[in-house]
Amino acid sequence: MTEPVPDPSGVLSEFYISFWIPTAVLTAALVIKLPSIIRLWRDPLMRAVGGLLLLACAVFVFCTPSTIARVNRLTGVPNFAAPWCYSLITAFCGCCLLLIITWRNGPAGRSAATRRVRRWVVGAYAGVIVALWALFLLAGPHEERLRDLDTYYATTPFLREEILLYLVAHAVACLITARLIRNWVRAEGLDAWLRWGLRLLGAGYVSNLVFDAGKLTAVAARWSGSDLDWLSTDLAPPVAALSAILIAVGFILPHAGQYLHDRWRIRLAHRELRPLYRLMREVHGEGVPFALRATPELRLIRRETFIRDVLLPLARHIDAGLGSRSYDAALALGHPPERARALAAAVCVLDAVTARARAPRPPGPAAGPDTTGLLRRIGAVSRELRRCDDIEAVRARAAVPAESVALHE
């Protein structure tokens, strides 16, 4: 006795992805990009990004069966939502091409050749949208279908051509976009976040090709009298949802990744300055006033400014000879030149703090030594203040020559 063949639709139903999930992810991407889109609205790239994300959200909002039924009921026309959804999908395809063309060309995107290509894309896909509506009007009255319109009307005159037209337009756009992204990912000098974002975008558009293949196969099967409707009704929707999630994350990743990287770098720099800041706060008597609404960038700037403002008068107590001996001592201990300079500066700053405590007004000249190098490497000096053992080793070795000289005298 042969075992029954499993129903593909039953298997695929276990992998169902609600259309509201990609809608939420796409909306999040749009919200993240919205400030830049509004601020740089004259930039064709920003307009393309905004249009693509907005259309992608609209596609998933209007292509759910409940919304399709509501649109049909509000208009009073059976299947009115079909050309409307097809138009949104076609417009989304055009925006995909416009975005990649503009994004890929960068500053050259304003060239005459690029503008001609963009006009050609707009004209071609606008023509497809007009043809979709004309074919729908020519098809005449028909029965409302919420989930299987593509296969149910695959052999109906005019609707057949309409379904084929939107699928071919979608497939062509996704194929070209995926190929452009594939070539772009291989380019040298791309930021890591941008490269990963492009990879996710490429995976999303390749997934769209799987969507098109499933739909076209199901439609072609109807032409030959076969029934592969599950490819259109059960396979294509979750693939489209997965594709939208990949595309949305692909757009979010370069922006969010760079943003998080910058925030982390700023917070790390702020934390790195803590030892030197605490030392300067002891010298000054008070620190930077706390501001609840201050941004991380502003906190970092205020901390850097405070440290430099306290270091400038403290520099009059710095012993230039000690700095030179400390640098030579750090080199002798095996430290590289850059770190040796930071260790020498840390020794000098600690010595100056001690000297200031003994004599607030130094007997030397009011101007003091040149502090340009010290003020430029406050981050490195602060890092060395965490390594007390290395500083003490340099200080002890730097003191040996001076003590030897004193004994000979």
Side-chain angles (χ1 to χ4, degrees), residues 183-353:
N183 293 338
W184 191 4
V185 169
R186 295 177 174 180
E188 297 292 335
L190 289 183
D191 176 76
W193 294 109
L194 176 58
R195 191 180 297 278
W196 277 106
L198 288 172
R199 286 172 177 167
L200 289 173
L201 284 174
Y205 287 112
V206 170
S207 299
N208 265 324
L209 292 174
V210 176
F211 166 87
D212 293 321
K215 286 277 188 180
L216 287 168
T217 303
V219 169
R222 279 293 186 125
W223 294 345
S224 63
S226 303
D227 184 355
L228 293 176
D229 289 6
W230 62 271
L231 289 171
S232 176
T233 56
D234 297 300
L235 175 66
V239 169
L242 177 62
S243 169
I245 293 172
L246 289 171
I247 290 173
V249 175
F251 278 116
I252 292 173
L253 190 63
H255 184 278
Q258 190 59 51
Y259 174 83
L260 293 174
H261 177 73
D262 291 343
R263 295 285 80 73
W264 172 253
R265 182 178 53 79
I266 289 169
R267 291 185 184 278
L268 192 64
H270 188 269
R271 182 176 176 275
E272 187 180 67
L273 290 173
R274 186 183 299 169
L276 186 57
Y277 168 72
R278 285 178 174 175
L279 183 62
M280 295 301 100
R281 188 173 59 184
E282 292 175 7
V283 172
H284 188 264
E286 59 182 13
V288 178
F290 178 73
L292 183 62
R293 296 185 178 181
T295 62
E297 293 91 343
L298 181 58
R299 290 195 182 101
L300 176 60
I301 291 171
R302 293 178 69 187
R303 177 167 285 190
E304 289 175 340
T305 303
F306 174 80
I307 290 172
R308 291 188 173 100
D309 287 346
V310 179
L311 275 176
L312 281 172
L314 185 65
R316 292 181 298 167
H317 298 271
I318 289 178
D319 183 351
L322 175 63
S324 178
R325 295 195 305 273
S326 297
Y327 177 69
D328 293 337
L331 290 176
L333 289 170
H335 297 295
E338 191 59 34
R339 193 180 173 204
R341 292 188 188 94
L343 281 167
V347 170
C348 288
V349 169
L350 290 171
D351 180 76
V353 171

Side-chain angles (χ1 to χ4, degrees), residues 17-229:
I17 301 176
S18 172
F19 273 18
W20 296 111
I21 296 176
T23 303
V25 179
L26 288 164
T27 303
L30 181 60
V31 169
I32 290 173
K33 287 285 189 180
L34 193 58
S36 299
I37 293 169
I38 294 174
R39 188 174 64 253
L40 304 171
W41 181 249
R42 294 181 180 274
D43 187 345
L45 176 60
M46 288 293 104
R47 291 200 300 269
V49 169
L52 185 143
L53 292 175
L54 187 61
L55 284 168
C57 290
V59 165
F60 282 93
V61 168
F62 283 100
C63 288
T64 57
S66 59
T67 309
I68 290 172
R70 192 173 295 115
V71 170
N72 292 338
R73 186 171 62 253
L74 288 174
T75 59
V77 178
N79 298 320
F80 181 88
W84 173 246
C85 291
Y86 295 162
S87 298
L88 290 174
I89 293 172
T90 303
F92 168 77
C93 296
C95 270
C96 291
L97 285 175
L98 288 175
L99 173 64
I100 298 302
I101 291 168
T102 306
W103 195 2
R104 180 69 177 87
N105 290 341
R110 299 181 183 275
S111 67
T114 305
R115 287 197 299 269
R116 280 197 303 272
V117 173
R118 287 204 297 261
R119 284 196 297 268
W120 182 89
V121 170
V122 171
Y125 279 85
V128 170
I129 292 173
V130 172
L132 290 173
W133 284 97
L135 290 168
F136 178 77
L137 294 175
L138 291 172
H142 31 74
E143 178 188 351
E144 182 183 56
R145 308 298 298 186
L146 300 181
R147 287 177 52 84
D148 61 347
L149 185 141
D150 291 347
T151 51
Y152 188 83
Y153 289 111
T155 57
T156 302
F158 299 113
L159 285 180
R160 171 185 59 210
E161 286 77 11
E162 179 181 12
I163 293 164
L164 185 61
L165 179 61
Y166 102 85
L167 287 175
V168 170
H170 184 262
V172 169
C174 291
L175 184 63
I176 295 173
T177 306
R179 183 172 180 81
L180 289 173
I181 291 174
R182 179 169 170 267
N183 293 338
W184 191 4
V185 169
R186 295 177 174 180
E188 297 292 335
L190 289 183
D191 176 76
W193 294 109
L194 176 58
R195 191 180 297 278
W196 277 106
L198 288 172
R199 286 172 177 167
L200 289 173
L201 284 174
Y205 287 112
V206 170
S207 299
N208 265 324
L209 292 174
V210 176
F211 166 87
D212 293 321
K215 286 277 188 180
L216 287 168
T217 303
V219 169
R222 279 293 186 125
W223 294 345
S224 63
S226 303
D227 184 355
L228 293 176
D229 289 6

